Amino acid sequence: MNLSRSIRPGSTRPRPARTGTARRSVALLGSLLACTIPLTVVVAGTGGAAHAASQTCLTGRLTYTFADAEGIAAGVQPVRNASWELRGVPSGSSSTKTLATGTTSASDGTFQACAAYAALSSASVRFTSQSNQMWRVIASDRGAVHSFDTATKTNVTGNVDLGTVSPTASTAGAFKIVDTLNKLYWKRGTTSPCWTWHQTTTSTCKELTVVWNSTTTDGGYWSPSTTYVYLAKDDPASQHLILHEAGHWFQWALYNGWFPKVTGCNPHYVDRESTVSCAWTEGFANAVAGYVLGDKRYVRPDGSVVPYQQADGSPWPGGDATEGNVAAALIDLFKLDGGTGGDWSGDLDMISRDGSDDFREYYVTDRPAHGYSVTGEAERIINSHGIDY
């Protein structure tokens, strides 16, 4: 499986200092908070929530339709936690204003865009390919987020149901990316509203940026120089690919702006030996995708699959220099360390405190320093994936 440009070469920063701290358990957010992007809904005209009798609303459900490599998001799908703006002209005014902002529902993509006016001369909802300041999809390195407006309604009062609304085919991929990244955010393993505990307030959160448009052929990698993920036009078909490349960014964010020096990684393969630095970073990104989606495989945009281990369960040749072995071992260790439910948040906390150059350093040095086992079941796990220290 050739993943030749999963990481573009770029500069790195000094790695995080070792802490030597004891194991620290990090609880995930509760189900409601974990699925909700922090946001204060802005309703123009009141300075706060409007009374139902004095507001006008456009409601509906945001969806997308795009190719589905895995068969887990076929047909019309909701776009969850996507940002919207209610744009309209209040009665008696002559100019269009942004009357309210918010995000679509974390469960089903529905929205209720309300303004604190009894009537609007005209109104529409603009959706953008971002989720507040947590993640976004832009059309080019210096381009804007993708957006589309619903049809404009005139003489609007009360509640107007727009039904199901969807982006055009040329921007649908951006909204699939937005929705897919929820899956990683919901499992980010920290009570901070940000991606990691290194930032604690929404104003300081690092923002995950994906560069994609419907015509580009440049994609399928993460750049340490820009810290952006780049996806080609057909890449959003694969949620594994989206989450794999986001996984590189996530490792960089966990390391608070440092990334290991990677050599011998162009090309690289899930099932073939490369270098220990390549296998570590690519294996971690594969483990992110596999853990979040609940499997151990890489799925290309065309639907073809390369598993992280051979059909009989045996490892690929190459030990810790083969990314499939590293990915499968990490997923099993995450589940072991997480106990009942297999929660990886403790491992993410450990990883975020000690930057590792390769899997050996993570296993031999970091795990004991944070109270995680390297014997017994943990040793059996890495041995079963062809790794022996």
Side-chain angles (χ1 to χ4, degrees), residues 114-241:
C114 299
Y117 295 92
L120 298 172
S121 297
S122 64
S124 63
V125 182
R126 173 169 294 176
F127 297 95
T128 54
S129 58
Q130 60 187 346
S131 189
N132 297 320
Q133 285 73 50
M134 298 300 169
W135 63 92
R136 63 175 181 160
V137 183
I138 56 178
S140 63
D141 271 44
R142 297 183 180 180
V145 294
H146 301 269
S147 65
F148 80 96
D149 295 350
T150 63
T152 299
K153 296 294 183 180
T154 58
N155 300 320
V156 184
T157 59
N159 184 79
V160 176
D161 184 6
L162 301 179
T164 297
V165 298
S166 303
T168 63
S170 64
T171 59
F175 287 90
K176 181 177 182 181
I177 296 167
V178 169
D179 184 73
T180 300
L181 290 175
N182 279 298
K183 297 182 178 182
L184 177 55
Y185 181 79
W186 293 337
K187 293 187 177 182
R188 68 195 182 279
T190 176
T191 55
S192 167
C194 303
W195 287 92
T196 76
W197 63 266
H198 294 297
Q199 296 83 43
T200 58
T201 61
T202 54
S203 62
T204 63
C205 292
K206 292 184 184 296
E207 184 176 41
L208 169 55
T209 296
V210 179
V211 180
W212 175 88
N213 64 65
S214 63
T215 61
T216 184
T217 56
D218 179 31
Y221 62 91
W222 172 73
S223 169
S225 297
T226 63
T227 72
Y228 292 172
V229 168
Y230 294 83
L231 297 179
K233 59 182 181 179
D234 296 327
D235 287 349
S238 169
Q239 293 192 42
H240 282 82
L241 176 53

Side-chain angles (χ1 to χ4, degrees), residues 251-311:
Q251 187 173 27
W252 169 85
L254 286 167
Y255 287 158
N256 201 25
W258 174 78
F259 200 79
K261 183 178 180 180
V262 180
T263 61
C265 213
N266 189 10
H268 64 90
Y269 303 84
V270 170
D271 52 355
R272 301 185 199 176
E273 182 176 358
S274 55
T275 65
V276 292
S277 61
C278 180
W280 168 238
T281 53
E282 296 298 336
F284 182 85
N286 280 324
V288 167
Y291 180 88
V292 169
L293 294 175
D295 59 29
K296 292 180 181 177
R297 59 178 186 158
Y298 185 87
V299 181
R300 299 184 182 99
D302 65 5
S304 55
V305 176
V306 178
Y308 297 165
Q309 55 201 68
Q310 299 186 59

